[in-house]
Tab-separated table of all heavy atoms in Angstrom:
chain	number	residue	atom	x	y	z
A	6	MET	N	89.751	8.543	-83.012
A	6	MET	CA	89.067	8.405	-84.276
A	6	MET	C	88.653	9.783	-84.782
A	6	MET	O	88.138	10.600	-84.035
A	6	MET	CB	87.827	7.538	-84.083
A	6	MET	CG	87.057	7.333	-85.350
A	6	MET	SD	85.757	6.125	-85.083
A	6	MET	CE	84.351	7.122	-85.477
A	7	VAL	N	88.864	10.039	-86.037
A	7	VAL	CA	88.483	11.304	-86.657
A	7	VAL	C	87.087	11.155	-87.228
A	7	VAL	O	86.785	10.225	-87.961
A	7	VAL	CB	89.468	11.680	-87.786
A	7	VAL	CG1	89.002	12.921	-88.504
A	7	VAL	CG2	90.851	11.862	-87.235
A	8	ASP	N	86.209	12.087	-86.884
A	8	ASP	CA	84.848	12.093	-87.403
A	8	ASP	C	84.889	12.620	-88.842
A	8	ASP	O	85.247	13.778	-89.066
A	8	ASP	CB	83.975	12.995	-86.528
A	8	ASP	CG	82.544	13.088	-87.013
A	8	ASP	OD1	82.216	12.544	-88.096
A	8	ASP	OD2	81.741	13.702	-86.314
A	9	PRO	N	84.543	11.811	-89.829
A	9	PRO	CA	84.626	12.258	-91.230
A	9	PRO	C	83.666	13.383	-91.572
A	9	PRO	O	83.823	14.041	-92.583
A	9	PRO	CB	84.308	10.992	-92.035
A	9	PRO	CG	83.556	10.117	-91.101
A	9	PRO	CD	84.041	10.445	-89.713
A	10	THR	N	82.665	13.636	-90.732
A	10	THR	CA	81.731	14.726	-90.992
A	10	THR	C	82.159	16.011	-90.307
A	10	THR	O	81.537	17.049	-90.470
A	10	THR	CB	80.315	14.365	-90.500
A	10	THR	OG1	80.339	14.177	-89.088
A	10	THR	CG2	79.806	13.107	-91.177
A	11	SER	N	83.241	15.955	-89.556
A	11	SER	CA	83.683	17.108	-88.780
A	11	SER	C	84.428	18.113	-89.638
A	11	SER	O	85.218	17.751	-90.505
A	11	SER	CB	84.603	16.651	-87.646
A	11	SER	OG	85.173	17.760	-86.997
A	12	ASP	N	84.207	19.415	-89.357
A	12	ASP	CA	84.981	20.471	-90.001
A	12	ASP	C	86.375	20.558	-89.392
A	12	ASP	O	87.220	21.299	-89.872
A	12	ASP	CB	84.308	21.831	-89.797
A	12	ASP	CG	83.051	21.984	-90.628
A	12	ASP	OD1	82.890	21.234	-91.600
A	12	ASP	OD2	82.249	22.858	-90.296
A	13	LEU	N	86.611	19.817	-88.329
A	13	LEU	CA	87.870	19.925	-87.603
A	13	LEU	C	88.698	18.650	-87.678
A	13	LEU	O	89.280	18.219	-86.704
A	13	LEU	CB	87.598	20.276	-86.138
A	13	LEU	CG	86.863	21.589	-85.956
A	13	LEU	CD1	86.566	21.821	-84.492
A	13	LEU	CD2	87.680	22.727	-86.505
A	14	GLU	N	88.745	18.039	-88.848
A	14	GLU	CA	89.594	16.868	-89.016
A	14	GLU	C	91.024	17.245	-88.655
A	14	GLU	O	91.392	18.414	-88.618
A	14	GLU	CB	89.525	16.377	-90.454
A	14	GLU	CG	88.159	15.827	-90.817
A	14	GLU	CD	88.102	15.404	-92.252
A	14	GLU	OE1	89.130	14.986	-92.829
A	14	GLU	OE2	87.019	15.489	-92.825
A	15	GLU	N	91.846	16.267	-88.405
A	15	GLU	CA	93.211	16.523	-87.953
A	15	GLU	C	94.032	17.350	-88.930
A	15	GLU	O	94.952	18.034	-88.538
A	15	GLU	CB	93.912	15.209	-87.664
A	15	GLU	CG	93.344	14.514	-86.449
A	15	GLU	CD	93.995	13.188	-86.197
A	15	GLU	OE1	94.945	12.832	-86.922
A	15	GLU	OE2	93.562	12.494	-85.286
A	16	ASP	N	93.729	17.288	-90.200
A	16	ASP	CA	94.570	17.953	-91.195
A	16	ASP	C	93.933	19.209	-91.795
A	16	ASP	O	94.253	19.604	-92.894
A	16	ASP	CB	94.962	16.975	-92.290
A	16	ASP	CG	93.754	16.381	-92.990
A	16	ASP	OD1	92.621	16.594	-92.531
A	16	ASP	OD2	93.950	15.697	-94.005
A	17	VAL	N	93.061	19.864	-91.081
A	17	VAL	CA	92.422	21.088	-91.573
A	17	VAL	C	93.384	22.260	-91.387
A	17	VAL	O	93.922	22.464	-90.311
A	17	VAL	CB	91.099	21.364	-90.826
A	17	VAL	CG1	90.536	22.708	-91.206
A	17	VAL	CG2	90.097	20.267	-91.104
A	18	SER	N	93.593	23.022	-92.445
A	18	SER	CA	94.472	24.190	-92.350
A	18	SER	C	93.722	25.364	-91.737
A	18	SER	O	92.485	25.373	-91.685
A	18	SER	CB	94.968	24.589	-93.738
A	18	SER	OG	93.915	25.148	-94.486
A	19	GLU	N	94.469	26.365	-91.286
A	19	GLU	CA	93.827	27.563	-90.722
A	19	GLU	C	92.923	28.239	-91.739
A	19	GLU	O	91.899	28.809	-91.378
A	19	GLU	CB	94.878	28.539	-90.205
A	19	GLU	CG	95.477	28.129	-88.894
A	19	GLU	CD	96.305	29.227	-88.254
A	19	GLU	OE1	96.202	30.389	-88.683
A	19	GLU	OE2	97.042	28.916	-87.319
A	20	ASP	N	93.304	28.188	-93.013
A	20	ASP	CA	92.494	28.819	-94.060
A	20	ASP	C	91.138	28.137	-94.230
A	20	ASP	O	90.148	28.790	-94.573
A	20	ASP	CB	93.227	28.796	-95.396
A	20	ASP	CG	94.449	29.691	-95.408
A	20	ASP	OD1	94.495	30.648	-94.600
A	20	ASP	OD2	95.368	29.433	-96.216
A	21	ASP	N	91.087	26.817	-94.004
A	21	ASP	CA	89.859	26.055	-94.198
A	21	ASP	C	89.082	25.818	-92.906
A	21	ASP	O	87.963	25.319	-92.944
A	21	ASP	CB	90.176	24.704	-94.838
A	21	ASP	CG	90.726	24.855	-96.243
A	21	ASP	OD1	90.358	25.832	-96.925
A	21	ASP	OD2	91.526	23.994	-96.659
A	22	ALA	N	89.676	26.144	-91.782
A	22	ALA	CA	89.052	25.878	-90.485
A	22	ALA	C	87.899	26.839	-90.231
A	22	ALA	O	87.905	27.973	-90.707
A	22	ALA	CB	90.091	26.023	-89.378
A	23	PRO	N	86.907	26.386	-89.455
A	23	PRO	CA	85.854	27.323	-89.058
A	23	PRO	C	86.445	28.402	-88.163
A	23	PRO	O	87.494	28.209	-87.540
A	23	PRO	CB	84.866	26.445	-88.282
A	23	PRO	CG	85.638	25.255	-87.874
A	23	PRO	CD	86.724	25.072	-88.872
A	24	ARG	N	85.799	29.544	-88.111
A	24	ARG	CA	86.282	30.664	-87.290
A	24	ARG	C	85.281	30.949	-86.186
A	24	ARG	O	84.077	30.810	-86.375
A	24	ARG	CB	86.479	31.905	-88.148
A	24	ARG	CG	87.599	31.718	-89.149
A	24	ARG	CD	87.935	33.011	-89.851
A	24	ARG	NE	89.196	32.901	-90.543
A	24	ARG	CZ	90.377	33.140	-90.012
A	24	ARG	NH1	90.475	33.515	-88.759
A	24	ARG	NH2	91.487	33.011	-90.708
A	25	CYS	N	85.803	31.373	-85.067
A	25	CYS	CA	84.965	31.740	-83.934
A	25	CYS	C	84.083	32.911	-84.349
A	25	CYS	O	84.573	33.902	-84.910
A	25	CYS	CB	85.832	32.118	-82.740
A	25	CYS	SG	84.882	32.672	-81.304
A	26	VAL	N	82.789	32.812	-84.083
A	26	VAL	CA	81.835	33.852	-84.473
A	26	VAL	C	82.066	35.147	-83.683
A	26	VAL	O	81.684	36.223	-84.140
A	26	VAL	CB	80.388	33.336	-84.329
A	26	VAL	CG1	79.986	33.190	-82.884
A	26	VAL	CG2	79.421	34.215	-85.067
A	27	VAL	N	82.752	35.081	-82.540
A	27	VAL	CA	82.973	36.259	-81.710
A	27	VAL	C	84.311	36.924	-82.023
A	27	VAL	O	84.373	38.107	-82.342
A	27	VAL	CB	82.896	35.899	-80.208
A	27	VAL	CG1	83.253	37.087	-79.339
A	27	VAL	CG2	81.508	35.382	-79.875
A	28	CYS	N	85.407	36.166	-81.959
A	28	CYS	CA	86.737	36.777	-82.104
A	28	CYS	C	87.386	36.513	-83.459
A	28	CYS	O	88.464	37.025	-83.740
A	28	CYS	CB	87.661	36.314	-80.982
A	28	CYS	SG	88.123	34.569	-81.091
A	29	ASP	N	86.755	35.708	-84.309
A	29	ASP	CA	87.206	35.413	-85.666
A	29	ASP	C	88.516	34.620	-85.736
A	29	ASP	O	89.147	34.551	-86.774
A	29	ASP	CB	87.324	36.694	-86.492
A	29	ASP	CG	87.278	36.408	-87.983
A	29	ASP	OD1	86.493	35.535	-88.398
A	29	ASP	OD2	88.052	37.049	-88.726
A	30	GLU	N	88.932	34.003	-84.639
A	30	GLU	CA	90.138	33.160	-84.652
A	30	GLU	C	89.813	31.836	-85.332
A	30	GLU	O	88.744	31.262	-85.112
A	30	GLU	CB	90.617	32.884	-83.224
A	30	GLU	CG	91.251	34.075	-82.564
A	30	GLU	CD	92.541	34.501	-83.248
A	30	GLU	OE1	93.381	33.628	-83.561
A	30	GLU	OE2	92.697	35.703	-83.488
A	31	PRO	N	90.733	31.306	-86.157
A	31	PRO	CA	90.504	29.989	-86.748
A	31	PRO	C	90.553	28.921	-85.663
A	31	PRO	O	91.337	29.017	-84.718
A	31	PRO	CB	91.656	29.835	-87.734
A	31	PRO	CG	92.702	30.764	-87.268
A	31	PRO	CD	92.012	31.886	-86.556
A	32	ILE	N	89.707	27.917	-85.778
A	32	ILE	CA	89.635	26.855	-84.784
A	32	ILE	C	90.226	25.595	-85.387
A	32	ILE	O	89.603	24.932	-86.217
A	32	ILE	CB	88.178	26.623	-84.338
A	32	ILE	CG1	87.595	27.929	-83.804
A	32	ILE	CG2	88.104	25.524	-83.302
A	32	ILE	CD1	86.102	27.891	-83.584
A	33	VAL	N	91.451	25.276	-84.984
A	33	VAL	CA	92.172	24.121	-85.502
A	33	VAL	C	92.587	23.249	-84.325
A	33	VAL	O	93.340	23.683	-83.457
A	33	VAL	CB	93.421	24.553	-86.297
A	33	VAL	CG1	94.169	23.344	-86.817
A	33	VAL	CG2	93.036	25.483	-87.431
A	34	GLU	N	92.066	22.006	-84.296
A	34	GLU	CA	92.410	21.041	-83.249
A	34	GLU	C	92.362	21.654	-81.855
A	34	GLU	O	93.273	21.500	-81.053
A	34	GLU	CB	93.785	20.434	-83.521
A	34	GLU	CG	93.824	19.605	-84.779
A	34	GLU	CD	95.141	18.909	-84.978
A	34	GLU	OE1	95.711	18.381	-84.008
A	34	GLU	OE2	95.604	18.902	-86.120
A	35	ASP	N	91.302	22.341	-81.551
A	35	ASP	CA	91.148	23.028	-80.273
A	35	ASP	C	90.175	22.248	-79.386
A	35	ASP	O	88.991	22.180	-79.693
A	35	ASP	CB	90.621	24.441	-80.508
A	35	ASP	CG	90.550	25.277	-79.260
A	35	ASP	OD1	90.719	24.727	-78.154
A	35	ASP	OD2	90.328	26.493	-79.396
A	36	PRO	N	90.643	21.686	-78.277
A	36	PRO	CA	89.745	20.903	-77.424
A	36	PRO	C	88.671	21.749	-76.736
A	36	PRO	O	87.682	21.212	-76.265
A	36	PRO	CB	90.680	20.266	-76.405
A	36	PRO	CG	91.901	21.103	-76.410
A	36	PRO	CD	92.005	21.699	-77.781
A	37	ALA	N	88.833	23.057	-76.687
A	37	ALA	CA	87.840	23.932	-76.068
A	37	ALA	C	86.761	24.370	-77.063
A	37	ALA	O	85.828	25.076	-76.705
A	37	ALA	CB	88.523	25.167	-75.470
A	38	HIS	N	86.888	23.960	-78.315
A	38	HIS	CA	85.960	24.332	-79.377
A	38	HIS	C	84.538	23.917	-79.020
A	38	HIS	O	84.296	22.836	-78.525
A	38	HIS	CB	86.397	23.645	-80.678
A	38	HIS	CG	85.464	23.805	-81.811
A	38	HIS	ND1	85.005	22.735	-82.531
A	38	HIS	CD2	84.905	24.894	-82.372
A	38	HIS	CE1	84.205	23.159	-83.484
A	38	HIS	NE2	84.134	24.469	-83.407
A	39	ARG	N	83.606	24.816	-79.241
A	39	ARG	CA	82.194	24.545	-78.992
A	39	ARG	C	81.394	24.905	-80.238
A	39	ARG	O	81.742	25.835	-80.950
A	39	ARG	CB	81.689	25.384	-77.822
A	39	ARG	CG	82.365	25.021	-76.526
A	39	ARG	CD	82.117	26.083	-75.482
A	39	ARG	NE	82.641	25.635	-74.215
A	39	ARG	CZ	81.896	25.103	-73.253
A	39	ARG	NH1	80.615	24.967	-73.412
A	39	ARG	NH2	82.453	24.699	-72.131
A	40	VAL	N	80.310	24.175	-80.458
A	40	VAL	CA	79.418	24.452	-81.581
A	40	VAL	C	77.993	24.485	-81.049
A	40	VAL	O	77.576	23.600	-80.319
A	40	VAL	CB	79.527	23.372	-82.681
A	40	VAL	CG1	78.555	23.677	-83.814
A	40	VAL	CG2	80.935	23.254	-83.202
A	41	ARG	N	77.270	25.518	-81.405
A	41	ARG	CA	75.843	25.616	-81.092
A	41	ARG	C	75.092	25.340	-82.378
A	41	ARG	O	75.357	25.956	-83.415
A	41	ARG	CB	75.487	27.019	-80.627
A	41	ARG	CG	75.871	27.326	-79.235
A	41	ARG	CD	74.861	26.652	-78.275
A	41	ARG	NE	75.099	27.106	-76.937
A	41	ARG	CZ	74.420	28.069	-76.340
A	41	ARG	NH1	73.458	28.687	-76.959
A	41	ARG	NH2	74.719	28.405	-75.115
A	42	THR	N	74.136	24.424	-82.333
A	42	THR	CA	73.336	24.061	-83.502
A	42	THR	C	71.860	24.139	-83.141
A	42	THR	O	71.468	23.735	-82.049
A	42	THR	CB	73.679	22.627	-83.959
A	42	THR	OG1	75.090	22.531	-84.183
A	42	THR	CG2	72.949	22.269	-85.234
A	43	TRP	N	71.058	24.686	-84.053
A	43	TRP	CA	69.630	24.774	-83.835
A	43	TRP	C	68.923	24.828	-85.186
A	43	TRP	O	69.562	25.008	-86.217
A	43	TRP	CB	69.271	25.987	-82.973
A	43	TRP	CG	69.522	27.311	-83.627
A	43	TRP	CD1	68.606	28.080	-84.292
A	43	TRP	CD2	70.757	28.026	-83.704
A	43	TRP	NE1	69.196	29.221	-84.771
A	43	TRP	CE2	70.522	29.212	-84.418
A	43	TRP	CE3	72.043	27.776	-83.240
A	43	TRP	CZ2	71.533	30.135	-84.686
A	43	TRP	CZ3	73.044	28.697	-83.500
A	43	TRP	CH2	72.771	29.870	-84.206
A	44	VAL	N	67.607	24.642	-85.157
A	44	VAL	CA	66.790	24.729	-86.370
A	44	VAL	C	65.964	25.995	-86.285
A	44	VAL	O	65.311	26.266	-85.280
A	44	VAL	CB	65.875	23.494	-86.515
A	44	VAL	CG1	64.966	23.647	-87.729
A	44	VAL	CG2	66.693	22.220	-86.616
A	45	GLU	N	66.049	26.792	-87.347
A	45	GLU	CA	65.298	28.044	-87.403
A	45	GLU	C	64.648	28.162	-88.778
A	45	GLU	O	65.334	28.124	-89.797
A	45	GLU	CB	66.249	29.212	-87.160
A	45	GLU	CG	65.568	30.554	-87.038
A	45	GLU	CD	66.556	31.633	-86.645
A	45	GLU	OE1	67.141	31.534	-85.552
A	45	GLU	OE2	66.738	32.561	-87.454
A	46	ASP	N	63.333	28.312	-88.790
A	46	ASP	CA	62.576	28.412	-90.049
A	46	ASP	C	62.878	27.245	-90.990
A	46	ASP	O	63.034	27.425	-92.199
A	46	ASP	CB	62.863	29.740	-90.754
A	46	ASP	CG	62.427	30.939	-89.943
A	46	ASP	OD1	61.414	30.825	-89.223
A	46	ASP	OD2	63.099	31.987	-90.006
A	47	GLY	N	63.008	26.049	-90.427
A	47	GLY	CA	63.235	24.850	-91.229
A	47	GLY	C	64.664	24.650	-91.706
A	47	GLY	O	64.941	23.701	-92.421
A	48	ALA	N	65.570	25.536	-91.334
A	48	ALA	CA	66.974	25.409	-91.747
A	48	ALA	C	67.857	25.197	-90.518
A	48	ALA	O	67.601	25.750	-89.456
A	48	ALA	CB	67.424	26.664	-92.477
A	49	VAL	N	68.890	24.391	-90.690
A	49	VAL	CA	69.833	24.148	-89.598
A	49	VAL	C	70.828	25.300	-89.551
A	49	VAL	O	71.420	25.666	-90.568
A	49	VAL	CB	70.579	22.810	-89.798
A	49	VAL	CG1	71.622	22.618	-88.719
A	49	VAL	CG2	69.600	21.660	-89.808
A	50	GLU	N	70.986	25.893	-88.385
A	50	GLU	CA	71.943	26.978	-88.160
A	50	GLU	C	73.002	26.476	-87.183
A	50	GLU	O	72.703	25.642	-86.328
A	50	GLU	CB	71.238	28.195	-87.556
A	50	GLU	CG	70.162	28.794	-88.421
A	50	GLU	CD	70.717	29.567	-89.595
A	50	GLU	OE1	71.858	30.052	-89.513
A	50	GLU	OE2	69.994	29.693	-90.592
A	51	HIS	N	74.215	26.970	-87.298
A	51	HIS	CA	75.246	26.619	-86.324
A	51	HIS	C	76.255	27.752	-86.206
A	51	HIS	O	76.447	28.528	-87.136
A	51	HIS	CB	75.948	25.305	-86.671
A	51	HIS	CG	76.773	25.388	-87.914
A	51	HIS	ND1	76.250	25.256	-89.167
A	51	HIS	CD2	78.095	25.606	-88.080
A	51	HIS	CE1	77.214	25.380	-90.060
A	51	HIS	NE2	78.347	25.596	-89.426
A	52	ARG	N	76.858	27.842	-85.034
A	52	ARG	CA	77.890	28.834	-84.768
A	52	ARG	C	79.039	28.141	-84.053
A	52	ARG	O	78.825	27.314	-83.165
A	52	ARG	CB	77.370	29.971	-83.882
A	52	ARG	CG	76.206	30.752	-84.449
A	52	ARG	CD	76.598	31.552	-85.691
A	52	ARG	NE	75.486	32.334	-86.184
A	52	ARG	CZ	74.610	31.928	-87.088
A	52	ARG	NH1	74.694	30.719	-87.587
A	52	ARG	NH2	73.637	32.718	-87.487
A	53	HIS	N	80.265	28.488	-84.434
A	53	HIS	CA	81.464	27.939	-83.815
A	53	HIS	C	82.034	28.943	-82.825
A	53	HIS	O	82.025	30.149	-83.084
A	53	HIS	CB	82.540	27.659	-84.880
A	53	HIS	CG	82.178	26.549	-85.806
A	53	HIS	ND1	82.534	25.247	-85.558
A	53	HIS	CD2	81.486	26.537	-86.963
A	53	HIS	CE1	82.087	24.475	-86.541
A	53	HIS	NE2	81.442	25.242	-87.405
A	54	PHE	N	82.552	28.428	-81.710
A	54	PHE	CA	83.170	29.252	-80.677
A	54	PHE	C	84.496	28.616	-80.287
A	54	PHE	O	84.586	27.398	-80.132
A	54	PHE	CB	82.281	29.354	-79.441
A	54	PHE	CG	80.900	29.845	-79.756
A	54	PHE	CD1	79.865	28.960	-79.996
A	54	PHE	CD2	80.652	31.199	-79.852
A	54	PHE	CE1	78.597	29.412	-80.308
A	54	PHE	CE2	79.383	31.668	-80.169
A	54	PHE	CZ	78.358	30.774	-80.395
A	55	CYS	N	85.515	29.443	-80.090
A	55	CYS	CA	86.827	28.909	-79.722
A	55	CYS	C	86.946	28.635	-78.226
A	55	CYS	O	87.850	27.932	-77.796
A	55	CYS	CB	87.943	29.846	-80.173
A	55	CYS	SG	87.936	31.440	-79.342
A	56	SER	N	86.026	29.185	-77.432
A	56	SER	CA	86.117	28.999	-75.985
A	56	SER	C	84.751	29.214	-75.340
A	56	SER	O	83.828	29.759	-75.953
A	56	SER	CB	87.106	29.995	-75.389
A	56	SER	OG	86.603	31.310	-75.525
A	57	GLU	N	84.678	28.828	-74.091
A	57	GLU	CA	83.462	29.036	-73.317
A	57	GLU	C	83.177	30.530	-73.144
A	57	GLU	O	82.031	30.967	-73.180
A	57	GLU	CB	83.614	28.370	-71.956
A	57	GLU	CG	82.370	28.389	-71.112
A	57	GLU	CD	82.548	27.622	-69.820
A	57	GLU	OE1	83.518	26.865	-69.675
A	57	GLU	OE2	81.686	27.797	-68.941
A	58	SER	N	84.229	31.324	-72.992
A	58	SER	CA	84.025	32.765	-72.795
A	58	SER	C	83.475	33.433	-74.063
A	58	SER	O	82.627	34.321	-73.966
A	58	SER	CB	85.311	33.455	-72.323
A	58	SER	OG	86.327	33.311	-73.283
A	59	CYS	N	83.934	33.021	-75.233
A	59	CYS	CA	83.379	33.577	-76.467
A	59	CYS	C	81.913	33.156	-76.638
A	59	CYS	O	81.076	33.948	-77.055
A	59	CYS	CB	84.202	33.148	-77.673
A	59	CYS	SG	85.674	34.153	-77.943
A	60	GLU	N	81.603	31.914	-76.269
A	60	GLU	CA	80.213	31.461	-76.339
A	60	GLU	C	79.343	32.288	-75.388
A	60	GLU	O	78.248	32.723	-75.763
A	60	GLU	CB	80.129	29.979	-75.975
A	60	GLU	CG	78.749	29.399	-76.095
A	60	GLU	CD	78.697	27.936	-75.753
A	60	GLU	OE1	79.586	27.433	-75.038
A	60	GLU	OE2	77.734	27.287	-76.175
A	61	ALA	N	79.831	32.548	-74.197
A	61	ALA	CA	79.079	33.351	-73.226
A	61	ALA	C	78.898	34.786	-73.715
A	61	ALA	O	77.832	35.375	-73.536
A	61	ALA	CB	79.794	33.333	-71.878
A	62	GLU	N	79.923	35.333	-74.354
A	62	GLU	CA	79.821	36.695	-74.877
A	62	GLU	C	78.748	36.755	-75.972
A	62	GLU	O	77.961	37.695	-76.033
A	62	GLU	CB	81.171	37.149	-75.437
A	62	GLU	CG	81.177	38.574	-75.913
A	62	GLU	CD	82.541	39.045	-76.365
A	62	GLU	OE1	83.555	38.536	-75.868
A	62	GLU	OE2	82.586	39.945	-77.229
A	63	TRP	N	78.710	35.752	-76.851
A	63	TRP	CA	77.711	35.691	-77.908
A	63	TRP	C	76.314	35.599	-77.318
A	63	TRP	O	75.399	36.271	-77.778
A	63	TRP	CB	78.006	34.498	-78.811
A	63	TRP	CG	77.043	34.295	-79.938
A	63	TRP	CD1	76.965	35.019	-81.084
A	63	TRP	CD2	76.028	33.293	-80.031
A	63	TRP	NE1	75.966	34.514	-81.898
A	63	TRP	CE2	75.391	33.466	-81.262
A	63	TRP	CE3	75.613	32.269	-79.185
A	63	TRP	CZ2	74.347	32.633	-81.681
A	63	TRP	CZ3	74.574	31.443	-79.601
A	63	TRP	CH2	73.957	31.637	-80.832
A	64	GLU	N	76.152	34.780	-76.255
A	64	GLU	CA	74.850	34.645	-75.606
A	64	GLU	C	74.387	35.977	-75.012
A	64	GLU	O	73.217	36.304	-75.044
A	64	GLU	CB	74.908	33.607	-74.493
A	64	GLU	CG	74.915	32.196	-74.992
A	64	GLU	CD	74.986	31.204	-73.870
A	64	GLU	OE1	75.437	31.539	-72.761
A	64	GLU	OE2	74.561	30.056	-74.097
A	65	SER	N	75.326	36.754	-74.453
A	65	SER	CA	74.958	38.006	-73.809
A	65	SER	C	74.571	39.079	-74.822
A	65	SER	O	73.939	40.069	-74.452
A	65	SER	CB	76.101	38.502	-72.927
A	65	SER	OG	77.202	38.920	-73.723
A	66	GLU	N	74.912	38.909	-76.077
A	66	GLU	CA	74.557	39.871	-77.118
A	66	GLU	C	73.114	39.726	-77.560
A	66	GLU	O	72.575	40.625	-78.185
A	66	GLU	CB	75.473	39.703	-78.331
A	66	GLU	CG	76.898	40.099	-78.053
A	66	GLU	CD	77.823	39.814	-79.226
A	66	GLU	OE1	77.346	39.313	-80.270
A	66	GLU	OE2	79.021	40.080	-79.085
A	67	ASP	N	72.482	38.596	-77.266
A	67	ASP	CA	71.082	38.366	-77.680
A	67	ASP	C	70.125	39.207	-76.920
A	67	ASP	O	70.123	39.604	-75.882
A	67	ASP	CB	70.715	36.896	-77.527
A	67	ASP	CG	71.346	36.057	-78.631
A	67	ASP	OD1	71.785	36.627	-79.635
A	67	ASP	OD2	71.388	34.816	-78.471
């Protein structure tokens, strides 16, 4: 089932796909895709990662 609220629907092109915040690769139908979501100052923030290693690299930059 495709989640209609997802940025990663089956037919998303590379141009419209979210990009990894670390390596800037487009994320299209990637099962390793990760999203971090949090609330900061009353606004929802999120970051997309193409892999666990990119997510770990982003965490180490904090």
Side-chain angles (χ1 to χ4, degrees):
M6 180 172 120
V7 175
D8 179 354
T10 63
S11 172
D12 287 341
L13 300 177
E14 293 178 30
E15 291 178 4
D16 59 351
V17 173
S18 71
E19 284 192 14
D20 292 336
D21 295 330
R24 294 189 166 273
C25 177
V26 71
V27 175
C28 69
D29 201 39
E30 287 295 314
I32 303 169
V33 179
E34 295 185 42
D35 185 350
H38 173 232
R39 296 165 173 261
V40 178
R41 283 283 189 98
T42 305
W43 67 96
V44 176
E45 187 174 298
D46 297 327
V49 176
E50 299 286 334
H51 67 278
R52 300 293 182 269
H53 292 269
F54 305 94
C55 65
S56 67
E57 186 176 346
S58 61
C59 278
E60 183 179 22
E62 184 176 332
W63 179 75
E64 284 179 338
S65 69
E66 292 175 1
D67 285 344

